[in-house]
Protein backbone atom coordinates (compact mmCIF):
# COMPACT_ATOMS: atom_id res chain seq x y z
CA UNK A 1 0.00 0.00 0.00
CA UNK A 2 1.73 3.19 -1.18
CA UNK A 3 1.05 6.65 0.15
CA UNK A 4 -0.51 9.13 -2.29
CA UNK A 5 2.30 11.39 -3.60
CA UNK A 6 0.01 14.44 -3.92
CA UNK A 7 -0.26 16.82 -0.98
CA UNK A 8 -3.26 16.39 1.32
CA UNK A 9 -5.96 18.94 0.39
CA UNK A 10 -6.37 22.02 2.51
CA UNK A 11 -8.95 21.77 5.33
CA UNK A 12 -10.97 24.82 6.43
CA UNK A 13 -9.38 27.27 8.87
CA UNK A 14 -10.35 26.35 12.42
CA UNK A 15 -10.55 22.63 11.65
CA UNK A 16 -9.58 20.79 14.83
CA UNK A 17 -6.62 18.41 14.55
CA UNK A 18 -5.92 16.19 17.51
CA UNK A 19 -4.83 12.86 18.95
CA UNK A 20 -6.66 10.62 21.43
CA UNK A 21 -5.82 8.39 24.39
CA UNK A 22 -7.73 6.98 27.36
CA UNK A 23 -6.93 6.92 31.07
CA UNK A 24 -6.85 3.18 31.72
CA UNK A 25 -4.78 2.52 28.62
CA UNK A 26 -1.93 4.94 29.42
CA UNK A 27 -1.93 6.27 32.99
CA UNK A 28 -0.76 3.40 35.19
CA UNK A 29 -0.41 4.51 38.85
CA UNK A 30 -3.11 1.98 39.68
CA UNK A 31 -2.43 2.24 43.41
CA UNK A 32 -3.39 5.92 43.30
CA UNK A 33 -7.00 5.22 42.34
CA UNK A 34 -9.89 3.02 43.34
CA UNK A 35 -10.04 -0.26 41.40
CA UNK A 36 -12.08 -0.38 38.21
CA UNK A 37 -13.82 -3.18 36.34
CA UNK A 38 -10.72 -3.46 34.17
CA UNK A 39 -8.46 -4.16 37.16
CA UNK A 40 -10.75 -6.99 38.23
CA UNK A 41 -10.95 -8.29 34.66
CA UNK A 42 -7.19 -8.34 34.05
CA UNK A 43 -6.59 -10.01 37.41
CA UNK A 44 -8.69 -12.95 36.20
CA UNK A 45 -6.32 -15.33 34.36
CA UNK A 46 -7.03 -15.91 30.68
CA UNK A 47 -8.89 -12.67 30.06
CA UNK A 48 -6.09 -10.56 28.60
CA UNK A 49 -4.18 -12.39 25.86
CA UNK A 50 -0.63 -11.63 27.03
CA UNK A 51 -1.60 -11.82 30.71
CA UNK A 52 -0.64 -8.19 31.23
CA UNK A 53 -2.37 -5.52 33.30
CA UNK A 54 -2.55 -1.73 33.08
CA UNK A 55 -1.02 -1.22 36.54
CA UNK A 56 1.88 0.72 34.96
CA UNK A 57 0.87 0.97 31.26
CA UNK A 58 2.73 4.01 29.81
CA UNK A 59 3.14 5.50 33.30
CA UNK A 60 1.61 8.65 31.85
CA UNK A 61 0.50 9.59 35.38
CA UNK A 62 4.14 10.37 36.17
CA UNK A 63 5.36 11.20 32.65
CA UNK A 64 2.53 13.47 31.51
CA UNK A 65 4.83 16.47 31.05
CA UNK A 66 6.97 14.51 28.59
CA UNK A 67 3.81 13.41 26.75
CA UNK A 68 2.46 16.96 26.56
CA UNK A 69 5.81 18.03 25.10
CA UNK A 70 5.30 15.35 22.42
CA UNK A 71 1.87 16.83 21.67
CA UNK A 72 3.30 20.32 21.41
CA UNK A 73 6.09 19.18 19.07
CA UNK A 74 3.56 17.30 16.94
CA UNK A 75 1.65 20.54 16.51
CA UNK A 76 -1.87 19.27 17.26
CA UNK A 77 -4.41 21.83 18.39
CA UNK A 78 -6.26 19.42 20.67
CA UNK A 79 -5.72 16.40 22.90
CA UNK A 80 -8.51 13.97 23.71
CA UNK A 81 -7.80 12.07 26.93
CA UNK A 82 -10.16 10.50 29.43
CA UNK A 83 -10.79 11.18 33.08
CA UNK A 84 -10.68 8.04 35.20
CA UNK A 85 -13.79 7.91 37.37
CA UNK A 86 -12.11 5.57 39.92
CA UNK A 87 -9.21 8.04 40.18
CA UNK A 88 -11.56 10.95 40.79
CA UNK A 89 -13.13 8.83 43.56
CA UNK A 90 -9.86 8.61 45.43
CA UNK A 91 -8.43 11.42 47.51
CA UNK A 92 -6.38 13.82 45.43
CA UNK A 93 -7.33 12.09 42.18
CA UNK A 94 -8.55 15.28 40.53
CA UNK A 95 -5.20 16.94 41.28
CA UNK A 96 -3.67 14.88 38.49
CA UNK A 97 -6.13 16.20 35.87
CA UNK A 98 -5.62 19.70 37.24
CA UNK A 99 -1.87 19.41 36.54
CA UNK A 100 -2.43 17.80 33.14
CA UNK A 101 -4.85 20.53 32.05
CA UNK A 102 -2.46 23.25 33.20
CA UNK A 103 0.38 21.62 31.29
CA UNK A 104 -1.76 21.36 28.13
CA UNK A 105 -2.89 24.97 28.35
CA UNK A 106 0.71 26.12 28.82
CA UNK A 107 1.67 24.14 25.70
CA UNK A 108 -1.17 25.69 23.68
CA UNK A 109 -2.98 22.34 23.28
CA UNK A 110 -6.73 22.34 23.93
CA UNK A 111 -7.79 19.72 26.50
CA UNK A 112 -10.79 17.62 25.37
CA UNK A 113 -11.62 15.15 28.15
CA UNK A 114 -13.86 12.11 27.76
CA UNK A 115 -15.71 11.47 31.01
CA UNK A 116 -16.10 7.72 30.65
CA UNK A 117 -13.85 5.42 28.64
CA UNK A 118 -14.87 1.97 30.03
CA UNK A 119 -13.16 2.06 33.45
CA UNK A 120 -16.19 1.90 35.74
CA UNK A 121 -15.35 1.97 39.46
CA UNK A 122 -15.54 -1.62 40.72
CA UNK A 123 -17.73 -0.52 43.64
CA UNK A 124 -20.40 0.57 41.14
CA UNK A 125 -20.08 -2.67 39.20
CA UNK A 126 -20.72 -4.52 42.44
CA UNK A 127 -23.97 -2.55 42.72
CA UNK A 128 -25.06 -3.75 39.25
CA UNK A 129 -22.92 -1.54 37.05
CA UNK A 130 -24.56 -0.34 33.85
CA UNK A 131 -27.44 -2.77 34.37
CA UNK A 132 -28.43 -0.57 37.30
CA UNK A 133 -30.17 2.65 36.36
CA UNK A 134 -28.62 4.33 39.41
CA UNK A 135 -25.20 4.21 37.72
CA UNK A 136 -26.44 6.84 35.24
CA UNK A 137 -27.30 9.14 38.15
CA UNK A 138 -23.95 8.48 39.87
CA UNK A 139 -22.27 9.39 36.58
CA UNK A 140 -24.01 12.77 36.41
CA UNK A 141 -22.90 13.50 39.99
CA UNK A 142 -19.30 12.63 39.14
CA UNK A 143 -19.45 14.77 35.99
CA UNK A 144 -20.60 17.74 38.06
CA UNK A 145 -17.60 17.30 40.38
CA UNK A 146 -15.15 17.14 37.46
CA UNK A 147 -16.53 20.16 35.60
CA UNK A 148 -16.60 22.16 38.81
CA UNK A 149 -12.86 21.59 39.18
CA UNK A 150 -11.69 21.82 35.53
CA UNK A 151 -14.40 23.90 33.87
CA UNK A 152 -12.48 27.18 34.16
CA UNK A 153 -9.86 25.83 31.71
CA UNK A 154 -11.68 23.00 29.86
CA UNK A 155 -14.37 24.16 27.44
CA UNK A 156 -14.92 21.13 25.22
CA UNK A 157 -16.18 17.86 26.72
CA UNK A 158 -17.02 14.32 25.61
CA UNK A 159 -19.51 12.35 27.69
CA UNK A 160 -18.93 8.68 26.78
CA UNK A 161 -16.65 6.58 24.63
CA UNK A 162 -18.32 3.93 22.47
CA UNK A 163 -21.26 2.70 24.52
CA UNK A 164 -21.83 0.30 21.58
CA UNK A 165 -18.52 -1.54 22.09
CA UNK A 166 -18.83 -1.39 25.87
CA UNK A 167 -22.25 -3.03 25.58
CA UNK A 168 -21.28 -5.59 22.94
CA UNK A 169 -17.83 -6.59 24.18
CA UNK A 170 -18.26 -5.91 27.90
CA UNK A 171 -21.84 -7.00 28.52
CA UNK A 172 -23.06 -9.18 25.62
CA UNK A 173 -19.98 -11.23 24.63
CA UNK A 174 -17.85 -10.78 27.75
CA UNK A 175 -14.51 -10.35 25.97
CA UNK A 176 -13.99 -6.99 27.70
CA UNK A 177 -14.61 -5.94 31.30
CA UNK A 178 -16.86 -6.38 33.15
CA UNK A 179 -16.98 -9.72 31.30
CA UNK A 180 -20.72 -10.27 31.32
CA UNK A 181 -22.11 -12.64 28.68
CA UNK A 182 -25.70 -11.54 28.54
CA UNK A 183 -26.21 -11.53 24.77
CA UNK A 184 -29.41 -9.55 24.10
CA UNK A 185 -30.08 -9.12 27.80
CA UNK A 186 -27.17 -6.65 27.67
CA UNK A 187 -29.39 -3.99 26.09
CA UNK A 188 -30.30 -2.33 29.40
CA UNK A 189 -26.58 -1.53 29.76
CA UNK A 190 -26.84 0.38 26.49
CA UNK A 191 -29.92 2.25 27.65
CA UNK A 192 -28.38 3.23 30.96
CA UNK A 193 -25.20 4.46 29.29
CA UNK A 194 -27.26 6.55 26.90
CA UNK A 195 -29.24 7.89 29.84
CA UNK A 196 -25.96 8.69 31.59
CA UNK A 197 -24.90 10.61 28.49
CA UNK A 198 -28.10 12.71 28.55
CA UNK A 199 -27.83 13.38 32.29
CA UNK A 200 -24.18 14.36 31.81
CA UNK A 201 -25.13 16.80 29.05
CA UNK A 202 -27.55 18.42 31.51
CA UNK A 203 -24.91 18.57 34.26
CA UNK A 204 -22.39 20.16 31.87
CA UNK A 205 -24.97 22.68 30.61
CA UNK A 206 -25.79 23.58 34.21
CA UNK A 207 -22.09 24.42 34.62
CA UNK A 208 -22.21 26.67 31.56
CA UNK A 209 -20.49 24.36 29.03
CA UNK A 210 -21.33 25.12 25.38
CA UNK A 211 -19.18 22.57 23.54
CA UNK A 212 -20.35 19.01 24.23
CA UNK A 213 -20.10 15.81 22.19
CA UNK A 214 -20.03 12.02 22.47
CA UNK A 215 -17.60 9.52 20.86
CA UNK A 216 -19.68 6.78 19.24
CA UNK A 217 -18.30 3.82 17.34
CA UNK A 218 -19.68 3.59 13.80
CA UNK A 219 -18.88 1.98 10.49
CA UNK A 220 -20.71 1.01 7.33
CA UNK A 221 -22.23 -2.49 7.25
CA UNK A 222 -21.66 -4.29 3.98
CA UNK A 223 -23.98 -7.24 3.27
CA UNK A 224 -22.27 -10.49 2.28
CA UNK A 225 -24.52 -10.73 -0.79
CA UNK A 226 -27.83 -9.44 -2.13
CA UNK A 227 -29.60 -12.59 -0.88
CA UNK A 228 -32.53 -11.70 1.41
CA UNK A 229 -31.05 -13.64 4.36
CA UNK A 230 -27.76 -11.74 4.10
CA UNK A 231 -29.49 -8.38 3.65
CA UNK A 232 -31.66 -9.03 6.68
CA UNK A 233 -28.69 -10.04 8.86
CA UNK A 234 -26.66 -7.02 7.70
CA UNK A 235 -29.60 -4.72 8.36
CA UNK A 236 -29.86 -6.04 11.90
CA UNK A 237 -26.13 -5.60 12.54
CA UNK A 238 -26.33 -2.04 11.22
CA UNK A 239 -29.19 -1.39 13.58
CA UNK A 240 -27.19 -2.68 16.57
CA UNK A 241 -23.92 -0.87 15.83
CA UNK A 242 -25.16 2.33 14.25
CA UNK A 243 -28.83 3.15 14.68
CA UNK A 244 -29.20 1.91 18.25
CA UNK A 245 -26.70 4.51 19.44
CA UNK A 246 -27.33 7.37 17.02
CA UNK A 247 -31.15 7.36 16.68
CA UNK A 248 -31.95 7.98 20.35
CA UNK A 249 -29.48 10.88 20.50
CA UNK A 250 -30.34 12.50 17.20
CA UNK A 251 -33.98 11.48 16.62
CA UNK A 252 -35.16 10.92 20.19
CA UNK A 253 -36.31 7.35 19.53
CA UNK A 254 -35.00 3.80 19.39
CA UNK A 255 -35.05 1.92 16.09
CA UNK A 256 -38.13 -0.22 15.67
CA UNK A 257 -37.95 -3.63 17.31
CA UNK A 258 -35.35 -2.53 19.85
CA UNK A 259 -37.53 -0.46 22.15
CA UNK A 260 -39.32 -3.63 23.30
CA UNK A 261 -36.01 -5.05 24.59
CA UNK A 262 -35.24 -2.02 26.76
CA UNK A 263 -35.80 -1.93 30.54
CA UNK A 264 -38.87 -0.34 32.14
CA UNK A 265 -42.37 0.49 30.89
CA UNK A 266 -42.80 2.17 27.48
CA UNK A 267 -43.75 5.43 29.24
CA UNK A 268 -40.47 5.42 31.20
CA UNK A 269 -38.48 4.87 28.02
CA UNK A 270 -40.24 7.84 26.39
CA UNK A 271 -39.26 10.06 29.32
CA UNK A 272 -35.66 8.77 29.21
CA UNK A 273 -35.45 9.46 25.48
CA UNK A 274 -36.14 13.14 26.21
CA UNK A 275 -33.02 13.16 28.38
CA UNK A 276 -30.97 11.08 25.94
CA UNK A 277 -31.79 13.44 23.05
CA UNK A 278 -30.66 16.59 24.85
CA UNK A 279 -28.97 18.45 21.99
CA UNK A 280 -25.20 18.06 21.68
CA UNK A 281 -22.99 20.64 19.98
CA UNK A 282 -21.23 18.09 17.81
CA UNK A 283 -21.38 14.36 17.17
CA UNK A 284 -18.15 12.37 17.59
CA UNK A 285 -17.49 9.28 15.49
CA UNK A 286 -14.77 6.68 16.04
CA UNK A 287 -14.12 5.00 12.69
CA UNK A 288 -11.86 2.03 12.01
CA UNK A 289 -13.34 -0.17 9.27
CA UNK A 290 -16.58 -1.34 7.67
CA UNK A 291 -17.97 -4.75 8.61
CA UNK A 292 -19.06 -7.45 6.15
CA UNK A 293 -22.10 -9.22 7.56
CA UNK A 294 -24.16 -12.16 6.37
CA UNK A 295 -26.74 -14.65 7.60
CA UNK A 296 -25.76 -16.79 10.60
CA UNK A 297 -23.52 -19.74 9.74
CA UNK A 298 -24.31 -21.85 12.77
CA UNK A 299 -20.82 -21.95 14.20
CA UNK A 300 -18.60 -19.86 16.42
CA UNK A 301 -16.33 -17.42 14.54
CA UNK A 302 -13.15 -15.62 15.47
CA UNK A 303 -13.14 -12.11 14.17
CA UNK A 304 -10.95 -9.08 14.73
CA UNK A 305 -9.87 -10.52 18.07
CA UNK A 306 -13.41 -11.40 19.17
CA UNK A 307 -15.21 -14.75 19.32
CA UNK A 308 -18.77 -14.44 18.07
CA UNK A 309 -21.11 -17.16 19.39
CA UNK A 310 -23.07 -19.30 16.93
CA UNK A 311 -26.51 -18.21 18.17
CA UNK A 312 -26.20 -14.61 16.93
CA UNK A 313 -28.68 -13.70 14.17
CA UNK A 314 -25.80 -12.63 11.91
CA UNK A 315 -22.22 -13.63 11.12
CA UNK A 316 -19.27 -11.36 10.49
CA UNK A 317 -17.33 -12.23 7.33
CA UNK A 318 -14.00 -11.28 5.89
CA UNK A 319 -13.64 -8.23 3.66
CA UNK A 320 -11.55 -9.62 0.84
CA UNK A 321 -8.96 -7.99 -1.37
CA UNK A 322 -7.87 -5.37 1.15
CA UNK A 323 -4.70 -4.91 3.11
CA UNK A 324 -5.25 -5.67 6.79
CA UNK A 325 -3.65 -4.18 9.90
CA UNK A 326 -1.83 -6.31 12.50
CA UNK A 327 -5.18 -6.67 14.22
CA UNK A 328 -6.64 -8.17 11.03
CA UNK A 329 -8.90 -5.17 10.42
CA UNK A 330 -9.26 -4.28 6.73
CA UNK A 331 -8.00 -0.92 5.52
CA UNK A 332 -10.94 0.79 3.78
CA UNK A 333 -10.55 4.58 3.70
CA UNK A 334 -13.57 5.17 1.47
CA UNK A 335 -15.68 3.50 4.17
CA UNK A 336 -15.25 6.75 6.09
CA UNK A 337 -16.65 8.81 3.21
CA UNK A 338 -19.52 6.34 2.86
CA UNK A 339 -20.25 6.41 6.59
CA UNK A 340 -20.34 10.21 6.77
CA UNK A 341 -22.44 10.77 3.66
CA UNK A 342 -24.79 8.02 4.88
CA UNK A 343 -25.13 9.75 8.27
CA UNK A 344 -25.84 13.11 6.62
CA UNK A 345 -28.52 11.44 4.52
CA UNK A 346 -30.19 9.55 7.36
CA UNK A 347 -30.17 12.33 9.94
CA UNK A 348 -30.37 15.43 7.75
CA UNK A 349 -30.54 18.63 9.77
CA UNK A 350 -30.79 16.61 13.00
CA UNK A 351 -27.08 15.82 12.60
CA UNK A 352 -24.90 18.43 14.31
CA UNK A 353 -21.36 19.08 13.05
CA UNK A 354 -19.30 15.89 13.18
CA UNK A 355 -15.87 15.31 14.73
CA UNK A 356 -13.87 12.15 14.02
CA UNK A 357 -12.87 11.40 17.60
CA UNK A 358 -10.80 8.28 16.73
CA UNK A 359 -9.20 6.82 13.63
CA UNK A 360 -6.04 4.74 13.49
CA UNK A 361 -4.48 1.32 13.10
CA UNK A 362 -2.19 -1.20 14.77
CA UNK A 363 1.16 -2.00 13.18
CA UNK A 364 4.52 -3.01 14.57
CA UNK A 365 7.67 -0.98 14.11
CA UNK A 366 9.02 2.52 14.28
CA UNK A 367 9.35 3.01 10.52
CA UNK A 368 5.57 2.61 10.20
CA UNK A 369 4.93 3.36 6.55
CA UNK A 370 1.66 1.38 6.67
CA UNK A 371 0.31 3.72 9.36
CA UNK A 372 1.24 6.71 7.22
CA UNK A 373 -0.63 5.18 4.27
CA UNK A 374 -3.64 4.43 6.50
CA UNK A 375 -3.85 7.94 7.93
CA UNK A 376 -3.17 9.60 4.59
CA UNK A 377 -5.97 7.61 2.95
CA UNK A 378 -8.45 8.32 5.75
CA UNK A 379 -7.72 12.05 5.90
CA UNK A 380 -8.35 12.29 2.15
CA UNK A 381 -11.54 10.24 2.53
CA UNK A 382 -12.67 12.65 5.22
CA UNK A 383 -12.00 15.58 2.94
CA UNK A 384 -14.10 13.95 0.22
CA UNK A 385 -17.03 13.66 2.63
CA UNK A 386 -16.67 17.37 3.39
CA UNK A 387 -16.62 18.18 -0.32
CA UNK A 388 -19.84 16.18 -0.60
CA UNK A 389 -21.36 18.55 1.96
CA UNK A 390 -20.89 16.82 5.34
CA UNK A 391 -20.07 19.33 8.07
CA UNK A 392 -16.96 17.87 9.76
CA UNK A 393 -15.07 20.02 12.25
CA UNK A 394 -12.26 17.84 13.54
CA UNK A 395 -10.11 14.70 13.24
CA UNK A 396 -8.34 12.88 16.09
CA UNK A 397 -5.84 10.05 15.54
CA UNK A 398 -5.98 7.03 17.81
CA UNK A 399 -3.46 7.12 19.45
CA UNK A 400 -0.63 9.32 20.69
CA UNK A 401 1.17 6.39 22.37
CA UNK A 402 1.35 2.63 22.06
CA UNK A 403 -0.73 1.54 25.03
CA UNK A 404 -2.71 -1.14 26.86
CA UNK A 405 -4.99 -2.39 24.10
CA UNK A 406 -7.66 -3.95 26.36
CA UNK A 407 -8.03 -7.73 25.89
CA UNK A 408 -5.00 -7.73 23.56
CA UNK A 409 -2.72 -6.35 26.26
CA UNK A 410 0.40 -4.68 24.86
CA UNK A 411 0.45 -6.82 21.71
CA UNK A 412 -1.26 -4.22 19.51
CA UNK A 413 0.47 -0.93 18.87
CA UNK A 414 -1.71 2.00 17.76
CA UNK A 415 0.71 4.81 18.69
CA UNK A 416 2.30 7.60 16.68
CA UNK A 417 4.92 7.27 19.40
CA UNK A 418 6.50 3.91 20.22
CA UNK A 419 6.64 2.94 23.89
CA UNK A 420 9.18 0.42 25.18
CA UNK A 421 7.17 -1.23 27.94
CA UNK A 422 10.34 -2.31 29.78
CA UNK A 423 12.03 1.10 29.98
CA UNK A 424 8.93 3.24 29.19
CA UNK A 425 11.05 5.16 26.75
CA UNK A 426 9.07 7.06 24.09
CA UNK A 427 10.32 7.09 20.47
CA UNK A 428 8.38 9.03 17.82
CA UNK A 429 7.62 6.80 14.82
CA UNK A 430 7.82 7.81 11.15
CA UNK A 431 4.05 8.53 11.27
CA UNK A 432 4.62 11.12 14.01
CA UNK A 433 7.00 13.09 11.78
CA UNK A 434 4.66 12.64 8.83
CA UNK A 435 1.65 13.99 10.77
CA UNK A 436 3.71 16.92 12.08
CA UNK A 437 4.54 17.86 8.47
CA UNK A 438 0.89 17.49 7.42
CA UNK A 439 -0.19 19.79 10.24
CA UNK A 440 2.48 22.36 9.36
CA UNK A 441 1.28 22.35 5.74
CA UNK A 442 -2.27 22.90 7.02
CA UNK A 443 -1.02 25.95 8.90
C1 LIG B 1 -11.63 1.86 20.17
O1 LIG B 1 -12.51 0.80 20.05
C2 LIG B 1 -11.47 2.26 21.61
O2 LIG B 1 -12.21 3.45 21.88
C3 LIG B 1 -10.05 2.43 22.04
O3 LIG B 1 -9.98 2.45 23.44
C4 LIG B 1 -9.19 1.33 21.45
O4 LIG B 1 -7.90 1.33 21.95
C5 LIG B 1 -9.19 1.52 19.96
O5 LIG B 1 -10.48 1.57 19.45
C6 LIG B 1 -8.42 0.45 19.20
O6 LIG B 1 -9.02 -0.79 19.37
O7 LIG B 1 -14.61 -5.86 11.82
O8 LIG B 1 -12.43 -6.82 12.19
O9 LIG B 1 -12.63 -4.73 11.08
C7 LIG B 1 -12.63 0.31 18.74
C8 LIG B 1 -13.63 -0.79 18.61
C9 LIG B 1 -14.13 -2.83 17.45
C10 LIG B 1 -13.53 -0.88 16.20
C11 LIG B 1 -13.86 -3.68 16.23
C12 LIG B 1 -13.21 -1.74 15.02
C13 LIG B 1 -13.87 -3.63 13.73
C14 LIG B 1 -13.05 -4.85 13.67
N1 LIG B 1 -13.44 -1.58 17.42
N2 LIG B 1 -13.98 -2.93 15.01
S1 LIG B 1 -13.21 -5.64 12.09
Amino acid sequence: MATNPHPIPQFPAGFQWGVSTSAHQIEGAASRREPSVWDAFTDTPGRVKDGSTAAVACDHYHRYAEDVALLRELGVGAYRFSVSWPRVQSTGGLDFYDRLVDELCAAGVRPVPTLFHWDLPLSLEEAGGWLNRGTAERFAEYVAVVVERLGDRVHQWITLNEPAEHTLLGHALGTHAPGRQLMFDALPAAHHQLLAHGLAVRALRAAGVADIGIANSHGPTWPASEEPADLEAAGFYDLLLNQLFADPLLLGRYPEGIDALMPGEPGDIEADLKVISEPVDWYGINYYAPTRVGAPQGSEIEFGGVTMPAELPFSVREIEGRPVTDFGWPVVPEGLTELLTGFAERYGDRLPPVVITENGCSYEGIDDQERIAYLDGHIRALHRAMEAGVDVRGYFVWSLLDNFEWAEGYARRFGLVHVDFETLERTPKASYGWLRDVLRAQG
Side-chain angles (χ1 to χ4, degrees), residues 22 25 117-118 161-162 165 169 217 286 288-291 303-304 316 327-330 358 398 403 405-406 414:
S22 93
Q25 294 177 272
H117 198 126
W118 302 353
N161 181 69
E162 298 188 352
E165 305 294 346
L169 304 175
S217 166
N286 295 353
Y288 288 89
T291 314
F303 212 84
V316 176
F327 218 140
W329 302 352
E358 283 181 29
W398 183 272
N403 59 47
E405 178 53 33
W406 307 116
F414 280 87

Side-chain angles (χ1 to χ4, degrees), residues 244-255:
L244 175 59
F245 294 89
D247 285 12
L249 254 93
L250 302 175
L251 306 176
R253 58 170 169 72
Y254 278 118

Side-chain angles (χ1 to χ4, degrees), residues 30 43 60 66 68 135 150 159 172 179 195 206 233 247-248 250 252-253 281 290 372 377 383 386 404 427:
D43 287 349
H60 170 76
E66 184 183 346
V68 173
T135 298
L150 305 178
T159 55
L195 182 63
D247 285 12
L250 302 175
R253 58 170 169 72
D281 302 294
I372 293 176
H383 195 266
M386 293 166 72
F404 177 73
T427 308

